[in-house]
Amino acid sequence: MSAPLNGSRAGFAASWERRHGERELLLSCIGCMALGFVLILGADAADGRHLAATDLLPLVLYALCLVAVHLTLVLTGFRGDQVLTATVAGLAGFGLLAQVRMGGFQGDSGALTPWLVPAGLCVMTAGALIFANGRYRVLARGLWLWAALSLLLVVALLVTGQRFRGAVYALGFTTPTEALKITVVLGLATYLERHGQALARWHAGLPPWRALWPLLAFWAVLTGLLALQRDLGMVMILGVALLAVLVSATGRIGYLVYGLLAAVGLGSLLLMFFAHGQRRIDTWLDPFQDPTGEGWQILQGLSGMYAGGLWGEGFGIGSPEYTPIAAADFIYSVIGEELGFLGCVVVVLFFLVLFQRGIALAGQARSPFGRLLAGGLTAVLAVQTLLNIGGVTKSIPLTGTTLPFISHGGASLLTAFGAIALLLAISDGEPGRADKPPRATRSRATVGVPSPGQPRKVRRKVVPPAPNLPGD
Amino acid sequence: MTAFDPLQLFASLVGSAAWPALRLILHLAFFLAACVILWRAWTQLRPVDAPPSGGIAPLLALLTVFLAVLLYQASWQLTGLFRPQFVAFMQSHDRREFNPAHRIARGRILDRRGRVLALSREVDGQVYRVYPFGAAFAHTVGYSDPRFGAIGAEAAGNAQLNGATPRTLASWGELGRQLLTKDQRPRGQDLTLTLDSELQLLALQRLGDRAGAAVLMRTRDGALLALATNPAFDPNHLAPDLFRSPAPGTPLLNRATQGLYPPGSAFKVVMAAAAIEAGFTGTLNCPAQGYTTSRQYPPIRDHEFYSARTAGRAWSGAGALDLPTAFAQSSNVFFAQLGVRYGHEAFARTGERFQFDRQVRFYPGTDRYGSLSTGRLPRLAATDRYGLAQASIGQGRVLASPLHLATIAAAVANRGLAMRPRLLAQDPPASLGQYMSASTAARLAGMMRKVVTEGTGRGINGADLAIAGKTGTAENPSGAAHSWFIGFAPAADPTLAVAVLVEHGGFGASVAAPIARDLLVKALELGVGP
């Protein structure tokens, strides 16, 4: 696959040297999370719980995983982004700490939990390597696959799922529709790479219907199905991703305008038909109307954050168990309670660095498909984060979305890591262009992306990856 | 056993005295490490982000949105104290013991002389609310209790008492200090009431064991100097039983503001005002056999008839009475005829003008102790003339609360302008409405003075204080008559209005009027302020 495995010591050394920034950041992450871990264990011990060696398992797993991720990326000579891996590792560390703290690793459903973050990191690394070196463009061939897969996912969940707390869940309380966040964006990027130019040709202030109607039809069906599941959060996430990708592909702000108009219309329509949504709006506007009923969760979350104040109670000291389902949707309020407002600021900054990275990577992607895909995935993650944090802080109505990388929840966690895998793959650059800087202004000091001074010979062997279809 | 067990070592470290300090250091180190990671990530990414095409707009949008969310979050997390409902929610529903909302040293509640009516006291890390006067201010100061919520001035001044209304730079600085040091004992600001504890205690003492209410208010600005009600409860010892069933004597009811009683002859103040406004000047014949609208109904008679009958004497009737004389003698026959003469519509208009059938708030908020139930006038059928005759003497289905009658008396003393009752010293005076013209008020005031000098209220006429007022003896289905007195003093230049009700007390002149006199005398002796 790459030079170092073929025995090139020089290649390994170069790769080791190139990824020193990532190494440093990952080691800092391990150190930081170890500090947090000691705090939690200390609080446990202070409560009189006997500590066992197995209590260290999550931290050890996390550290080992980061080391493994780094070594794999170095060994394979991966040229992709380094800040992205480090930021995600940091966020995942926060998630791990919060889950350990919430006692997610004890009790009945806890068996799988300590493996979720490691599994996510594995998915991320594997995905990044599989689709690296421009191979992600294979994905652009599956327009019908993505469209069909997306609809199939929703329909399957609708047919087989059970209702719980107003939403629909599949077997074992998983939410396979989380995968939509990737499949739909893939489909969008594919469609717009092909039809982007046609869609950019507006007439008299109106978009070109001929090019737009398949997209609209697909969207109508998808939104309808999601609305049936009352998954308004997903509708919003995908809607914003659609607009972001559309505008980015066509350069037409008009899509944004019409999109917002449609969103307002659709939103009020949905609210008319779904008492559930109207209730959430009412609770959002005045949670004190029914403080012990509808408003209980949000008010308990806010109470915890108020108790945390500026600095926080300290990891492991708070009582987030008073907030219902805190480990899932309300994990942000747990962070607010135990790490205070400053802890929340740190988490938000981690997310902002991540999004900035995603946006920058989209800008650097060579192919339109890569650009749209990176932009779409970043938009998905950003909107999901905003819906969660905004909901928990009562800035916007609750939509029941999870906080990427941090919330408890297998499907959502793996999807987020999957999205990062694709971003990393795109950041690896195109084959055959390794020695040409993607941008003329690139400086040598850059750590984030491959340095132009270090050409990678082997890459050239794989020059035309596009025709390498799996079936060939 | 192993020689060295790091976990064991760690556990003993946690158990040691150094752990709290160490925990703090670790906490800070954690923050520091996270910031270092962020800083390094940011500096590493800066060279690359140079000109991402179209990348700056979405990033700016994201920054703005997340900054807005963080700011909004701070308005709960850092300055949640400024949200009274939120603090109340946390105090009653948050079980986190470390929540500072539980340890807010609420400000004190003071009377107008600075005497402490409520204060916070900390015992073993728990803050309790203490009410030095016990039941005396239960319905005005109210209570603030984690189990039962807040009511009364405790509810009305919640934000201020919790420290959420910093007015001076120093109190802002104090808030900032609490935030930075994560002080677990925020201090609130004091709240001053218009009440005078001496007058309140005097009123309660004079009521004694009898159920009833006594109100003393300043005529010109509506400030309540005493708002006493009996029986009451002790806010220092709240128990669920108090709230569960209709307890005997209904101690939760504020009789002064929410108690609705037949006003009896005290209502003649309202009828007399209406008659003066309507231009009534003549006389009405008031025979001994009384007045009725139909033979079916028993005649309405004057109290002289009954006292003569009890004494075994004959009474020849009052004869032709003019309004002032009828008012001073409290002639039922006169006022029953008067009401019927002007009719149903005029009666309803009068009730409207005197703001019956209303809830008037006398401090901001929603709790029931801040609400004045003015009274209730019956909706009479146009054919029900007997009902109208009864209503015109304050009997039948007419009801009024003591505080509303005090407000009416104050309006007479204040040239017809009724002031909204005030309990919080910081609330500005406000008017409720012009109950009658200034000239009517002047004439009525003279008539009320005559009640005390030569009418039913002669018993309280003294050289020390010129009181004007109206007695009332209200018959009611549940026992002996309610005893009323409403009035104001000094008659020449009134500053105080009073209303006293003693449930089943008997004659207004002999039971309620002396209490009213004592309150007025004491108040003027103490000095009542502006």
Side-chain angles (χ1 to χ4, degrees):
Chain A
M1 182 177 192
S2 57
L5 287 183
N6 291 353
S8 159
R9 278 187 155 276
F12 175 79
S15 186
W16 174 260
E17 182 53 35
R18 193 187 320 126
R19 297 194 83 80
H20 79 91
E22 179 184 75
R23 189 158 53 247
E24 233 172 68
L25 283 173
L26 290 180
L27 286 176
S28 321
C29 279
I30 294 175
C32 180
M33 297 317 147
L35 282 172
F37 213 77
V38 169
L39 276 171
I40 294 176
L41 287 184
D44 274 356
D47 278 351
R49 208 168 68 78
H50 184 72
L51 299 182
T54 48
D55 288 335
L56 291 171
L57 181 68
L59 179 68
V60 172
L61 271 180
Y62 175 74
L64 284 180
C65 259
L66 291 195
V67 170
V69 165
H70 179 67
L71 287 181
T72 312
L73 292 181
V74 167
L75 279 173
T76 53
F78 186 70
R79 299 166 302 165
D81 196 59
Q82 304 181 31
V83 176
L84 207 54
T85 45
T87 320
V88 168
L91 285 171
F94 267 104
L96 192 78
L97 286 181
Q99 298 305 339
V100 171
R101 192 271 157 276
M102 292 303 296
F105 298 157
Q106 293 132 27
D108 43 303
S109 65
L112 262 177
T113 320
W115 303 96
L116 270 179
V117 167
L121 287 168
C122 288
V123 165
M124 179 183 86
T125 318
L129 290 176
I130 289 171
F131 295 111
N133 199 22
R135 282 186 291 271
Y136 70 88
R137 294 173 74 167
V138 174
L139 298 171
R141 297 169 170 266
L143 175 59
W144 288 104
L145 176 67
W146 305 132
L149 196 58
S150 304
L151 293 181
L152 200 68
L153 272 171
V154 196
V155 172
L157 182 58
L158 260 185
V159 172
T160 65
Q162 321 137 301
R163 278 191 183 276
F164 181 68
R165 283 203 200 111
V168 181
Y169 292 85
L171 222 58
F173 278 131
T174 55
T175 44
T177 39
E178 288 287 333
L180 283 180
K181 290 168 187 166
I182 291 181
T183 57
V184 168
V185 172
L186 275 169
L188 275 178
T190 312
Y191 185 82
L192 284 164
E193 191 195 28
R194 295 181 194 174
H195 303 286
Q197 289 190 335
L199 282 166
R201 282 192 285 275
W202 281 41
H203 296 290
L206 284 175
W209 295 111
R210 280 177 76 91
L212 196 58
W213 77 261
L215 193 57
L216 285 184
F218 170 72
W219 212 259
V221 174
L222 185 69
T223 308
L225 289 173
L226 285 173
L228 278 182
Q229 296 181 16
R230 301 183 180 171
D231 197 347
L232 296 184
M234 185 66 81
V235 171
M236 277 201 246
I237 292 172
L238 296 181
V240 174
L242 166 71
L243 293 181
V245 173
L246 258 177
V247 171
S248 145
T250 60
R252 287 278 183 181
I253 298 293
Y255 282 114
L256 200 62
V257 177
Y258 283 118
L260 287 181
L261 286 178
V264 170
L266 195 69
S268 37
L269 202 71
L270 283 179
L271 283 184
M272 269 205 298
F273 288 105
F274 292 97
H276 167 79
Q278 186 59 50
R279 266 208 317 280
R280 283 201 169 175
I281 300 261
D282 291 343
T283 307
W284 167 58
L285 289 175
D286 186 9
F288 298 107
Q289 251 174 14
D290 185 11
T292 52
E294 295 277 335
W296 182 255
Q297 190 184 22
I298 179 92
L299 287 177
Q300 277 296 336
L302 289 170
S303 300
M305 299 216 283
Y306 175 75
L310 187 63
W311 303 100
E313 250 342 279
F315 243 140
I317 311 282
S319 310
E321 61 272 18
Y322 295 143
T323 309
I325 358 178
D329 296 3
F330 271 68
I331 200 74
Y332 185 75
S333 79
V334 176
I335 292 174
E337 176 173 347
E338 306 216 317
L339 295 179
F341 184 66
L342 291 179
C344 289
V345 171
V346 165
V347 169
V348 168
L349 284 178
F350 264 99
F351 274 114
L352 283 176
V353 167
L354 180 72
F355 304 147
Q356 195 281 343
R357 212 62 206 146
I359 294 168
L361 289 176
Q364 286 158 9
R366 277 304 163 135
S367 64
F369 176 67
R371 182 165 53 87
L372 296 176
L373 186 56
L377 291 173
T378 309
V380 162
L381 288 177
V383 175
Q384 190 186 342
T385 308
L386 185 68
L387 286 183
N388 179 276
I389 295 184
V392 171
T393 56
K394 206 186 96 66
S395 313
I396 54 171
L398 277 176
T399 42
T401 47
T402 51
L403 190 58
F405 307 110
I406 299 186
S407 280
H408 185 81
S412 112
L413 202 70
L414 292 182
T415 307
F417 278 111
I420 296 297
L422 289 177
L423 279 175
L424 280 173
I426 295 167
S427 75
D428 191 45
E430 303 297 314
R433 289 177 181 161
D435 42 4
K436 263 187 269 168
R439 272 185 191 286
T441 51
R442 178 75 41 78
S443 85
R444 285 189 61 99
T446 301
V447 187
V449 231
S451 183
Q454 292 157 341
R456 297 168 65 221
K457 293 165 197 143
V458 197
R459 289 276 164 196
R460 290 190 183 138
K461 289 184 186 162
V462 219
V463 168
N468 282 349
L469 276 175
D472 283 1
Chain B
M1 272 316 290
T2 49
F4 177 71
D5 183 355
L7 281 171
Q8 210 57 51
L9 189 73
F10 179 67
S12 59
L13 182 68
V14 168
S16 75
W19 174 245
L22 194 64
R23 196 175 68 79
L24 210 64
I25 293 171
L26 283 172
H27 195 75
L28 289 178
F30 178 79
F31 272 123
L32 211 65
C35 291
V36 166
I37 297 174
L38 275 172
W39 175 249
R40 297 201 72 107
W42 181 248
T43 46
Q44 291 199 6
L45 106 192
R46 265 170 73 184
V48 201
D49 74 357
S53 56
I56 201 72
L59 186 65
L60 270 184
L62 276 178
L63 267 178
T64 320
V65 171
F66 275 96
L67 188 70
V69 168
L70 278 177
L71 282 178
Y72 185 71
Q73 180 188 341
S75 80
W76 291 89
Q77 191 164 13
L78 302 182
T79 55
L81 212 55
F82 289 5
R83 299 176 182 270
Q85 282 182 302
F86 184 42
V87 173
F89 172 83
M90 289 192 291
Q91 284 171 341
S92 44
H93 295 304
D94 188 16
R95 290 184 290 159
R96 295 172 180 85
E97 280 167 20
F98 53 84
N99 192 333
H102 296 310
R103 288 196 193 70
I104 295 176
R106 282 164 76 85
R108 298 170 303 169
I109 297 181
L110 310 170
D111 82 342
R112 58 189 290 264
R113 293 168 195 285
R115 283 229 255 169
V116 179
L117 308 181
L119 71 156
S120 289
R121 192 170 286 158
E122 193 176 323
V123 183
D124 297 334
Q126 278 284 346
V127 177
Y128 296 93
R129 203 70 169 145
V130 180
Y131 303 95
F133 289 95
F137 294 90
H139 297 92
T140 43
V141 166
Y143 53 80
S144 170
D145 186 278
R147 288 165 300 167
F148 304 111
I151 200 166
E154 290 270 34
N158 203 2
Q160 180 176 349
L161 291 166
N162 283 335
T165 51
R167 295 219 171 84
T168 61
L169 198 62
S171 45
W172 275 108
E174 170 65 17
L175 260 182
R177 190 193 62 74
Q178 284 169 13
L179 208 63
L180 276 179
T181 59
K182 206 160 173 355
D183 192 332
Q184 294 288 9
R185 291 173 184 77
R187 285 206 65 84
Q189 281 114 35
D190 291 347
L191 180 73
T192 306
L193 304 187
T194 57
L195 294 179
D196 189 311
S197 54
E198 271 193 62
L199 295 172
Q200 177 90 353
L201 291 178
L202 176 68
L204 285 169
Q205 182 227 319
R206 295 292 275 106
L207 280 174
D209 296 335
R210 295 168 294 191
V215 181
L216 192 64
M217 72 191 284
R218 284 206 299 248
T219 53
R220 288 174 197 153
D221 63 354
L224 292 162
L225 298 175
L227 190 67
T229 176
N230 200 44
F233 57 94
D234 186 350
N236 292 309
H237 302 105
L238 294 176
D241 284 347
L242 182 64
F243 302 92
R244 209 165 276 155
S245 54
T250 52
L252 285 175
L253 174 71
N254 187 349
R255 288 171 158 71
T257 57
Q258 292 288 315
L260 292 177
Y261 300 90
S265 302
F267 190 69
K268 287 171 187 161
V269 172
V270 173
M271 294 307 291
I276 297 170
E277 299 266 272
F280 181 87
T281 47
T283 59
L284 293 173
N285 187 33
C286 302
Q289 68 267 29
Y291 167 77
T292 183
T293 53
S294 156
R295 289 222 186 104
Q296 292 166 264
Y297 302 117
I300 292 167
R301 299 178 195 265
D302 286 323
H303 57 93
E304 288 94 336
F305 170 83
Y306 296 105
S307 40
R309 195 174 63 179
T310 318
R313 285 183 283 110
W315 184 61
S316 58
L321 291 178
D322 63 357
L323 181 62
T325 316
F327 187 78
Q329 293 179 5
S330 198
S331 168
N332 290 335
V333 178
F334 180 92
F335 279 93
Q337 290 183 72
L338 191 74
V340 173
R341 177 173 169 159
Y342 284 113
H344 287 88
E345 261 188 50
F347 183 78
R349 269 202 311 277
T350 304
E352 185 61 33
R353 185 148 192 208
F354 281 82
Q355 297 181 322
F356 277 82
D357 299 305
R358 295 252 190 112
Q359 295 285 330
V360 173
R361 286 216 63 86
F362 53 98
Y363 56 72
T366 54
D367 77 286
R368 66 178 188 279
Y369 282 175
S371 175
L372 160 64
S373 192
T374 56
R376 208 166 288 158
L377 288 195
R379 299 263 170 276
L380 296 170
T383 50
D384 186 4
R385 294 170 70 223
Y386 189 73
L388 181 60
Q390 276 194 313
S392 303
I393 58 167
Q395 294 288 169
R397 280 148 63 203
V398 177
L399 297 173
S401 67
L403 179 55
H404 187 53
L405 290 187
T407 310
I408 290 173
V412 175
N414 195 37
R415 300 192 214 174
L417 180 67
M419 298 303 290
R420 183 183 292 270
R422 284 190 312 138
L423 189 66
L424 309 185
Q426 68 210 24
D427 288 346
S431 69
L432 268 182
Q434 189 79 35
Y435 281 0
M436 65 202 86
S437 71
S439 61
T440 303
R443 279 188 62 192
L444 188 53
M447 284 160 55
M448 285 170 77
R449 173 66 185 144
K450 208 170 144 194
V451 169
V452 176
T453 51
E454 46 197 79
T456 52
R458 283 188 308 277
I460 60 166
N461 194 19
D464 48 348
L465 182 60
I467 298 171
K470 182 76 194 78
T471 56
T473 307
E475 282 168 18
N476 61 83
S478 56
H482 295 321
S483 180
W484 277 102
F485 185 86
I486 70 172
F488 52 85
D493 179 24
T495 53
L496 289 173
V498 72
V500 174
L501 162 87
V502 180
E503 279 183 24
H504 311 300
F507 285 113
S510 57
V511 178
I515 299 178
R517 178 201 54 207
D518 290 356
L519 278 174
L520 290 169
V521 168
K522 180 76 175 173
L524 289 165
E525 190 182 294
L526 289 170
V528 293

